[in-house]
Amino acid sequence: MAVFRETVPRDLRDKMMELNWSLVLLLILLGVAGVAMLFSIAGADWSPWANRHAMRLAAGFTGMLVIAMFPPRFWMGVAYPVYFGALALLLLVELFGVNINGAQRWIDLGPMRLQPSEVMKVALVLAMARFYHDLPTEKVTSPTGLLVPLMMIGAPAALIIGQPDLGTTLLLAATGVIIIFMAGLSWWFILTVSVMGLIGVIGIAVYGLENILAEYQMDRVRAFLNPDYDPLGINYHPNQAVITMGSGGMTGKGFLEGTQSKLGYLPEMQTDYIFTALGEEFGFVGGISVLAINALIMAQAVGVAISCKSTFLRLLTMGLTGTYALYVFINIAMVSRLMPVVGVPLPLISYGGTVVLSVLAAFGLILGAHIHRNAEPPKGAGLFG
């Protein structure tokens, strides 16, 4: 018993000391900013968003630290089961999903709604990292090295786009492409695919987007290209977002002093458009500060990936970092009218249950990769391999 008391805590204590605490602190800063903004836009009230967001963050950060303690061998072992579990959840959405605002993306669990597409973002990275870790380097550009990962991306993408959720579908596909690229594709193959992609874009331009996209998606493109198109309809939300963010000026109106959100002009202010509320209250300085914190988070995560010795941990970390970067870029570009509107939240700041937990689970894996960066699990290692 004495040996147990001395050995186990020492191991956990060493791992806690090995944690990248600067990365943890940056994530906490974003979480605090999210709680503060949700408190403000609710009229200085903890209900209905800030209190729930704070509780989810607390649960998420606890889970993040627990996840970081597990060795790479464990995550390699559960990679495929987690992927197929997430795929099964996406199928359940098709059968029993909750429809909100015309989109069927959630499973009602009572206390919270689970969004399986968010789980799949982490699951896909885990599975693809495991696949390429086991695959001999010379086979990365082989039919097996390409077709299997493309099928792993395509199966969930086909289910998610039918919900419909074009933003998450594109994000998932982009994440998969990042991992394929990082696995060591031949530059000749990349050049060939790029040329084919350019030909495809030209073909779409000639054929016409209206023959490819759904009508509501085409309306979003028209709204993006012309701010005056349907100003009281499809363009109302994007235009109000720009007005809200611009009204903050350089330093903002001050905490709790935002008016656009309190008067009901700001759409989806607690989720997709929360960055505009932050811009109104803290101005350009506040917006740049959030971008700077996110840039530091990404830089730290890339540093972890570079330090990892194993293919699995390196691809896992880069894939999850790429997913996070896409979250941030798409959300801020959307609310700034730099791209058409898609439903992508701002990580840890926007209100949401599954998103918060999945993002922090991803950073748990990244923190774990930092702790175990010198580990080199053999090909096929894991609980089930």
Side-chain angles (χ1 to χ4, degrees), residues 78-89:
V78 301
Y80 293 143
V82 167
Y83 172 82
F84 286 111
L87 199 61
L89 288 173

Side-chain angles (χ1 to χ4, degrees), residues 139-260:
K139 292 187 177 181
V140 170
T141 316
S142 69
T144 301
L146 292 172
L147 290 177
V148 173
L150 289 175
M151 289 171 63
M152 293 169 73
I153 299 167
L159 292 171
I160 294 170
I161 200 169
Q163 293 179 354
D165 191 349
L166 180 61
T168 299
T169 304
L170 293 175
L171 196 153
L172 197 73
T175 299
V177 170
I178 288 172
I179 297 174
I180 294 174
F181 174 78
M182 293 302 299
L185 270 185
S186 163
W187 280 102
W188 284 109
F189 182 84
I190 295 170
L191 181 61
T192 302
V193 172
S194 299
V195 172
M196 291 175 62
L198 180 60
I199 293 172
V201 169
I202 295 172
I204 290 172
V206 173
Y207 185 63
L209 276 175
E210 64 274 8
N211 296 317
I212 299 172
L213 299 178
E215 186 60 29
Y216 80 94
Q217 293 169 337
M218 196 62 218
D219 274 344
R220 289 182 177 182
V221 174
R222 295 188 187 105
F224 167 67
L225 295 174
N226 180 11
D228 294 325
Y229 173 78
D230 194 12
L232 297 179
I234 193 69
N235 242 327
Y236 180 77
H237 288 177
N239 288 343
Q240 287 298 325
V242 172
I243 292 169
T244 301
M245 188 156 47
S247 67
M250 181 59 68
T251 57
K253 299 175 181 177
F255 184 53
L256 303 179
E257 299 300 323
T259 56
Q260 290 291 103

Side-chain angles (χ1 to χ4, degrees), residues 113-135:
R113 293 190 181 101
L114 176 69
Q115 190 172 355
S117 58
E118 296 296 330
V119 178
M120 178 53 78
K121 289 174 186 175
V122 178
L124 177 67
V125 176
L126 262 174
M128 291 185 68
R130 168 71 193 267
F131 174 80
Y132 279 118
H133 179 89
D134 293 342
L135 190 72

Side-chain angles (χ1 to χ4, degrees), residues 341-374:
V341 173
V342 291
V344 175
L346 187 60
L348 303 183
I349 297 181
S350 293
Y351 178 77
T354 312
V355 175
V356 169
L357 297 178
S358 64
V359 166
L360 290 175
F363 276 104
L365 292 169
I366 292 172
L367 290 168
H370 174 75
I371 293 172
H372 304 98
R373 58 192 178 277
N374 294 319

Side-chain angles (χ1 to χ4, degrees), residues 303-322:
V304 171
I306 293 172
S307 70
C308 291
K309 291 186 177 180
S310 78
T311 300
F312 173 72
L313 289 179
R314 189 164 56 251
L315 291 179
L316 176 66
T317 304
M318 284 304 300
L320 295 173
T321 304

